[in-house]
Amino acid sequence: MSATTSGYGMDLLRFATAGSVDDGKSTLIGRLLLDSKSIFEDQLEAVEATSEAKGYDYTDLALLTDGLRSEREQGITIDVAYRYFATPNRKFIIADTPGHVQYTRNMVTGASTADLGLVLVDARQGLTEQSRRHAVILSLLRVPHLVLAVNKMDLVDFDQTVYERIYAEFTQFATKLNVPDLEVIPISALQGDNVVTRSENMPWYSGPTLMHHLEHVHVASDRDLIDARFPVQYVVRPKSDEFHDYRGYAGQVAGGILKPGDEVVVLPSGMTSKIAKIDLFDREITEAFPPMSVTVHLEDDVDVSRGDMIARVKNAPTPSQDIDAMICWMTTSPLQPRQKLAIKHTTRTGRALVKDIQYRLDVNSLHRDQSTNELGVNEIGRVTLRTTVPLLCDPYSKNRTTGSFILIDEATGVTVGAGMING
């Protein structure tokens, strides 16, 4: 089931770009925006004028996306930039993530909600340590679809053997990772070959163009439509004359399909009831599924508050206070055993104690360093936590929403870590 068939808006694809510095990510996004007619004429004119002023003999499409002055000055991407565009077939949200190792946390942020990961490699360089690292992170984050775009084919005279060598090397590397769907596409972002229109320079390539693949990759089945999960975000009680007895529970469906008449349990209390009706904006609907934001009404007047979860009676998550997770650490002061932090999981908040750091993962070689006793900034490791409140969680491999959490420094309110719960 897709959002399109339900009448719930237009089909949406979120994808994250990754790759080494100077692989052409920003140019590629600029090309996608330009060729899909998603930029205004005055924007294009400004970019053309800036390119001319810099003495370029081409239009620098990267200027469309590298919005920070420091990015333009250095010619690199630093922050996660979100870009939006649409074609007649689909809407897109692009997370343009930086390539440098010191911005791993930015990449984790951008890729955590992505349906597809787009890794660029420079055809002249082939696979680099950074390309491998980005593929590993996308795999850790369970991004279900991966595209390897072999860019700058124009600089290797569109040589088929160059493409085939990179294709063979990457598919061999990908066997070590959890990559359910992989597509390898040779492109030239600067000239537009195989980005939106098929390239006449590469007749030997018979696969889809990048835009065709993005428009048609099937993502609806990636979401968990079996295990019903509805974290309650807000209790709706207008208390007005018009809605005197209105009592609903608002939130975003995190898994499964909810329908009126379903027997449900409210966790952690364990109280059971049935769904009376489901509201979407100002109308009732017959079913709700991820990622719809709806208001659920129950037949019985049970005690439900923010942070609770509505699930099916015979298919509910087991509340747990002992959490085993992979954590990406995002701040300069290291994560250490016995540290206390605030934790936010779906709509539930509590406090967590770091019981143990089992190992640090080398995202380049997949080596597990078990001798470590801390995690530094941008490092990823396996950690066990004890929480003050039971978390209503699933393994991250099963549900990316109920299987993830963030850690917050209580003193500053800053997010310092992102976690993925192990099964």
Side-chain angles (χ1 to χ4, degrees):
M1 183 183 305
S2 74
T4 318
T5 56
S6 71
Y8 179 66
M10 192 177 176
D11 200 9
L12 173 70
L13 178 78
R14 293 173 177 267
F15 69 95
T17 62
S20 301
V21 180
D22 288 336
D23 273 350
K25 291 192 304 298
S26 299
T27 303
L28 175 61
I29 292 170
R31 171 63 65 187
L32 284 170
L33 295 174
L34 177 66
D35 287 3
S36 63
K37 299 179 172 53
S38 299
I39 56 171
F40 296 112
E41 279 185 31
D42 58 341
Q43 282 179 291
L44 183 58
E45 286 167 8
V47 167
E48 286 172 343
T50 307
S51 302
E52 196 176 320
K54 288 187 170 187
Y56 298 161
D57 56 0
Y58 61 91
T59 302
D60 186 2
L61 297 174
L63 296 172
L64 287 168
T65 52
D66 282 343
L68 299 179
R69 182 180 294 174
S70 53
E71 292 178 326
R72 293 188 177 206
E73 285 170 356
Q74 297 178 60
I76 62 170
T77 303
I78 296 172
D79 202 1
V80 180
Y82 291 94
R83 294 287 176 266
Y84 307 85
F85 73 101
T87 67
N89 295 326
R90 196 172 241 173
K91 285 182 180 175
F92 299 92
I93 300 177
I94 314 172
D96 183 16
T97 66
H100 290 66
V101 64
Q102 67 264 41
Y103 302 121
T104 299
R105 58 188 174 182
N106 304 53
M107 189 195 158
V108 167
T109 304
S112 61
T113 55
D115 303 304
L116 180 144
L118 175 60
V119 178
L120 264 78
V121 295
D122 186 328
R124 298 168 302 172
Q125 312 288 339
L127 281 192
T128 62
E129 190 177 279
Q130 280 183 315
S131 347
R132 288 190 177 87
R133 191 179 77 249
H134 292 147
V136 169
I137 292 170
L138 290 167
S139 166
L140 270 175
L141 290 165
R142 300 279 175 164
V143 177
H145 304 276
L146 186 61
V147 174
L148 181 74
V150 183
N151 192 21
K152 304 192 181 181
M153 287 298 293
D154 52 310
L155 300 181
V156 293
D157 298 323
F158 303 102
D159 188 341
Q160 183 178 357
T161 55
V162 172
Y163 165 77
E164 287 179 346
R165 186 180 69 245
I166 295 170
Y167 177 94
E169 192 181 350
F170 190 79
T171 47
Q172 173 65 31
F173 174 69
T175 56
K176 302 178 191 172
L177 310 176
N178 181 18
V179 181
D181 175 40
L182 172 64
E183 190 77 44
V184 185
I185 304 174
I187 65 167
S188 166
L190 191 63
Q191 296 187 8
D193 292 82
N194 282 343
V195 178
V196 174
T197 52
R198 181 166 290 286
S199 171
E200 293 177 3
N201 296 308
M202 291 179 274
W204 44 264
Y205 172 73
S206 58
T209 64
L210 178 60
M211 180 62 93
H212 184 275
H213 184 68
L214 293 175
E215 282 188 322
H216 294 92
V217 65
H218 186 64
V219 295
S221 58
D222 298 330
R223 299 196 173 95
D224 180 1
L225 296 177
I226 297 168
D227 309 298
R229 303 287 186 265
F230 186 73
V232 176
Q233 192 160 9
Y234 185 70
V235 179
V236 183
R237 288 293 308 275
K239 294 183 180 174
S240 64
D241 289 339
E242 189 182 351
F243 300 102
H244 191 71
D245 296 319
Y246 191 98
R247 184 187 180 93
Y249 309 106
Q252 185 175 45
V253 184
I257 299 172
L258 300 174
K259 295 179 181 176
D262 284 353
E263 268 196 80
V264 291
V265 60
V266 178
L267 298 170
S269 69
M271 300 289 288
T272 58
S273 183
K274 282 187 177 179
I275 296 177
K277 63 173 183 170
I278 302 170
D279 290 341
L280 174 67
F281 308 124
D282 56 352
R283 61 190 169 93
E284 279 189 47
I285 55 172
T286 55
E287 61 178 24
F289 49 85
M292 292 171 70
S293 295
V294 296
T295 302
V296 171
H297 300 257
L298 301 181
E299 288 183 0
D300 305 287
D301 195 7
V302 295
D303 183 19
V304 183
S305 56
R306 176 180 167 84
D308 290 354
M309 184 179 288
I310 295 172
R312 288 247 172 77
V313 174
K314 293 181 180 176
N315 181 9
T318 306
S320 177
Q321 288 179 259
D322 290 296
I323 307 299
D324 174 10
M326 298 298 294
I327 287 179
C328 174
W329 193 243
M330 299 179 167
T331 191
T332 47
S333 53
L335 175 71
Q336 296 173 323
R338 312 306 300 167
Q339 199 166 332
K340 291 174 183 170
L341 298 153
I343 188 167
K344 185 174 188 302
H345 171 261
T346 63
T347 57
R348 198 169 179 77
T349 52
R351 300 180 74 208
L353 172 72
V354 180
K355 286 173 69 177
D356 182 36
I357 298 174
Q358 296 176 45
Y359 60 80
R360 177 174 56 219
L361 183 71
D362 184 329
V363 290
N364 300 315
S365 65
L366 298 180
H367 172 70
R368 299 176 177 187
D369 177 11
Q370 297 180 341
S371 63
T372 188
N373 58 359
E374 64 179 34
L375 286 184
V377 64
N378 290 309
E379 290 183 338
I380 295 173
R382 188 165 183 170
V383 175
T384 48
L385 304 171
R386 174 78 177 173
T387 60
T388 54
V389 295
L391 299 190
L392 310 161
C393 54
D394 296 291
Y396 186 78
S397 56
K398 196 172 179 183
N399 189 315
R400 288 166 76 191
T401 303
T402 57
S404 61
F405 59 86
I406 57 170
L407 296 171
I408 300 161
D409 183 321
E410 291 184 288
T412 61
V414 171
T415 300
V416 292
M420 297 156 282
I421 297 166
N422 294 313

